[in-house]
Amino acid sequence: MTRTGDARRGAIVDRAMHIASVEGLEGLTLGRLAEALRTSKSGIQTLFGTKQELQLAIIAAASRVFERDVSLPAQQQPAGLARLRTLMSLWIDYLKTFEGGCLFVAAASELDDRPGPVRDAVAEAVARACALLRHDVELALRLRELPEDTDAEQLVFELHAMVLQANHDRQLLGRDDALIRAHNAVNRLLRTGS
């Protein structure tokens, strides 16, 4: 693909991520995307081939956004509780990235019972994020910045649940304070190491 083709493909995927966060990966058709971009459906089909290829490109792009906005900046922090707190703060703020909230939360709900490559890609992306969270929790434990009797898996579950609840409350219930409440909950849960 040419540089122009790559740039065009990137611009299409960028817009598609926002639409999919609102309408769902299944709800986003090539026709709907063409309409939103004021271009031809055949032009989009030429770049992506199938709806499934477009969906996979959206998931890959959203994963790169998460890495750029959450994972990489958090990894720049000192190992331990400081990194874990930064990771959670950035993750909560990431919920504002897409018009419809977290694309992965929406896609997971939409595809959790539908086998196939798109569901697998979403599951892999969520598993990578949780593995990063688990790694930082375990590191804070090894550095003795969390109580030694901390159940790492339980803490990962609770921290991830806060992100999911914040997205739910913000998107479904329209609660403007959802992200502030999530930040407060994380700070309270991780206060023991300070």
Side-chain angles (χ1 to χ4, degrees), residues 25-26 55 59 106-115 118-119 122:
L25 283 169
E26 288 295 317
Q55 292 170 326
I59 295 162
S109 295
E110 180 180 19
L111 301 171
D112 62 0
D113 63 347
R114 295 183 191 173
V118 178
R119 180 200 180 276
V122 170

Side-chain angles (χ1 to χ4, degrees), residues 37-76:
L37 293 169
R38 295 188 177 141
T39 191
S40 71
K41 180 179 171 182
S42 63
I44 293 174
Q45 201 160 17
T46 298
L47 290 171
F48 296 97
T50 65
K51 178 178 176 177
Q52 180 174 292
E53 289 305 313
L54 173 62
Q55 292 170 326
L56 292 170
I58 290 168
I59 295 162
S63 293
R64 289 189 298 273
V65 171
F66 184 85
E67 184 176 344
R68 180 195 71 207
D69 294 352
V70 180
S71 304
L72 293 176
Q75 296 308 304
Q76 301 304 310

Side-chain angles (χ1 to χ4, degrees), residues 71 78 83 93 113 118 127 136-137 152 157 170 176 186 189 192:
S71 304
R83 183 180 296 169
D93 290 343
D113 63 347
V118 178
D136 286 345
V137 165
F157 181 89
R170 184 171 184 265
D176 294 332
V186 167
L189 189 60
T192 56

Side-chain angles (χ1 to χ4, degrees), residues 17 29 44 120 160:
M17 284 189 292
T29 64
I44 293 174
D120 294 346
H160 191 231

